[in-house]
Amino acid sequence: MESSKKSKRTLSIRTKIFLFMLAVAIIPTILITALAALNTYDSLYRQLIAINKDGMLWGSDRVSQFSDELKNTFYSMEFDKSFRNTVLKWGKDSDSYQDSAILRNTFNATLNKNNLFSSIELYLVSDRSVIKAKRAGTTLQSDEEGFSNTFSRPAEMQTNMYLKLTGQGLYAVHNINTFEDRNLVAKLALQLRTVELQGILEKLKTSQDERVYLLNDQSEIVMSINKGFDDKQLLAKSISLINDGSSGEYFSIDNNIIFYGQDRGVKLGIIKIIPRNEIVKATRPTVFAGIFMGIACVFAAIMLSALISFYISSPILKLADKVKNIQMATLEIKTGEDSRNEISVLENHIALFVQRIKDLIHQEYIIKLQAKSAQIKALQAQINPHFLHNTLQLIGSISLSRGVREVYNIAGALSSMMRYSMDFESGFVTLGSELEHLDNYLLIQKERFYDKFSIELDIQEEVKNCLMPKLLLQPIVENCFQHGFDRSTGDWKLWVKAYLSEDKKVHITVRDNGGGMSREQVEALNEEMKDAAYGSIKNSRHIGLMNVNSRIRLNFSENDGITVYSEKEEGTRIEYIFDAQGVGEDNGLPGSDN
């Protein structure tokens, strides 16, 4: 009987509380550590993508500047009449000494003016000779080394400028043709000093195992930083995807992230290869720190769970012992310590908890209020232009003195716009001030598009004195020109209407007869504006609308803001709604009727 009773015994309440507290402490620790590692990986991945996209844009711009400098050098030489005439008549009726002097002087001047080149080589088709110019001197020799074959390329490819990597180094090559029949007369090759290009590629590399390649328009590698990696197959796959047009700015192949940038002028491409294990390496400190903290928390949890379970279960166990000793006849239980002390402790702690919650709520309210104020200022500053006001005034004065009235008007309007935008002290202005600012903007647009567009204003007099955040109208009207009229044919029309509703709300409508948007685009745009009211808007494709909408909602209420209505080929209507402030009062601000 005793053995059967023992087998039916369950865990004591102290053990249950201990195990429960242990599970509550350990399981969240494990989950938090795992989530922290995953979030760190995701954050590092997104950060890596953003940094490298910006880096590739920078690299492409720098390569474009480098190629532009090369093209300018080629053009300056070819547009030199004496140089071009000498090349065209070489081997025909030319004065060998005089012509050689012209070519030598041109080459020496080019080499002395630009440190990007170490030598210049000119292959002349007429007699298959090659003139090589270095800073040490100029030589004329026959094409024994196969100059023409080295720099040959398919006839269908451009020959304005292209890069070729040879055993002697990296060359920029330009074909000189006759204007009449485009027959090849000569090939001009500049041997490049690769320090600048090497520096560009080095700056794109941010970790040890990354590789960067520079490709010409034939997808040939002309420069690389790969630290001994063999990327032939990986590059072949990447180039195939790029040439097929099935890749974007970046894509993944064989556990590598490939970034691609291109100079559109001469089609120089930059390929950067980043192994995914670079991200894993970056997450290791977080994982190890999480494991260490997890182990420490487990030991602490064991100790705390034992102590807490003991203190929690002790009164219950004592009560259980007392219940066992109940006098069945009198239903009396022997009491020990007065329980009111424990109750008072609980009451005191509850009071402390409530007070702490109040303090936290107050702190969070202050933080939100400060964040809201900071965001309003940041959004206001985002649209403030920083131009050279005094320079525009000078341009206007010079234009007026020389009788160029149109330039004077444009400079004056733009100067007024900048003075208005740069007045940071007045965050709120009247609708009348906004209309004056819009007039200056439309004056510039009328000079730009002549009489292609017209505008109709329907502004209720009472609402002109209402206060509103600065720069609400002009960005939306500018959107009409950028997105509404760009696909529209015929005359452009704009309507701006403002009135005060019975519920003391200001309603402003901006409408155009542009190309419009589809229903799906309109719904997505309205949803985006609704969600982005208190969030970041810098990555939005509609930053003007988002900025205006966010400032309205931040300055008034979440129910206020912008709504977009549009149909394809029927134009677009944008409606503002916000609380009326200052209506019928003398605000002392510019633009009010008072």
Side-chain angles (χ1 to χ4, degrees), residues 453-496:
F453 78 94
S454 61
I455 183 168
E456 181 178 333
L457 298 177
D458 182 10
I459 309 300
Q460 189 182 64
E461 287 295 325
E462 185 181 5
V463 82
K464 286 185 178 180
N465 292 336
C466 78
L467 295 177
M468 58 193 295
K470 186 189 291 185
L471 294 173
L472 291 191
L473 274 181
Q474 183 264 333
I476 303 303
V477 174
E478 186 174 1
N479 266 5
C480 297
F481 285 92
Q482 290 182 347
H483 305 295
F485 294 147
D486 58 345
R487 301 185 303 275
S488 176
T489 59
D491 292 334
W492 302 343
K493 292 184 179 180
L494 275 172
W495 293 269
V496 179

Side-chain angles (χ1 to χ4, degrees), residues 286-421:
T286 302
V287 174
F288 291 154
I291 293 174
F292 175 79
M293 291 297 297
I295 294 173
C297 288
V298 167
F299 282 109
I302 293 173
M303 298 300 295
L304 288 174
S305 298
L307 292 173
I308 292 173
S309 64
F310 175 79
Y311 284 112
I312 291 177
S313 61
S314 291
I316 300 175
L317 292 176
K318 289 179 180 179
L319 180 60
D321 291 336
K322 292 176 181 179
V323 169
K324 290 179 181 177
N325 297 323
I326 291 177
Q327 301 294 329
M328 297 303 297
T330 61
L331 293 178
E332 292 180 355
I333 182 172
K334 293 181 181 180
T335 59
E337 298 177 358
D338 191 352
S339 61
R340 286 178 295 178
N341 292 331
E342 295 177 356
I343 294 174
S344 64
V345 170
L346 290 175
E347 290 176 347
N348 291 336
H349 279 78
I350 290 174
L352 291 173
F353 290 154
V354 171
Q355 184 61 41
R356 180 59 176 163
I357 290 172
K358 289 181 179 179
D359 293 340
L360 291 174
I361 291 174
H362 180 71
Q363 291 175 9
E364 187 171 0
Y365 170 77
I366 295 299
I367 291 171
K368 283 188 175 180
L369 190 63
Q370 292 173 347
K372 186 175 181 180
S373 176
Q375 190 173 11
I376 291 173
K377 293 180 180 178
L379 290 170
Q380 180 69 54
Q382 186 178 3
I383 204 167
N384 283 335
H386 299 282
F387 301 117
L388 301 176
H389 170 62
N390 293 333
T391 304
L392 282 175
Q393 286 186 328
L394 176 61
I395 293 172
S397 300
I398 295 173
S399 302
L400 186 61
S401 65
R402 298 187 180 180
V404 188
R405 189 74 184 181
E406 293 82 1
V407 176
Y408 174 78
N409 292 337
I410 292 174
L414 187 56
S415 176
S416 298
M417 290 179 67
M418 283 186 287
R419 184 168 58 251
Y420 180 82
S421 300

Side-chain angles (χ1 to χ4, degrees), residues 43 76 130 192 208 259 277 323 338 450 498 506:
S43 176
S76 65
V130 178
L192 305 179
Q208 182 177 358
F259 290 87
N277 59 16
V323 169
D338 191 352
Y450 299 99
V506 176

Side-chain angles (χ1 to χ4, degrees), residues 90 122-131 140-143:
W90 184 272
L122 179 67
Y123 168 72
L124 298 157
V125 177
S126 58
D127 59 355
R128 298 181 60 81
S129 60
V130 178
I131 299 176
L140 173 65
Q141 61 190 45
S142 60
D143 186 20

Side-chain angles (χ1 to χ4, degrees), residues 6-17:
K6 289 182 180 179
S7 62
K8 292 181 181 180
R9 286 180 181 177
T10 59
L11 297 175
S12 67
I13 190 169
R14 177 172 293 176
T15 304
K16 290 180 180 179
I17 293 175

Side-chain angles (χ1 to χ4, degrees), residues 82-97:
S82 60
F83 175 80
R84 182 175 178 81
N85 290 336
T86 300
V87 173
L88 291 176
K89 69 180 183 178
W90 184 272
K92 299 176 182 178
D93 55 349
S94 61
D95 183 345
S96 179
Y97 177 78

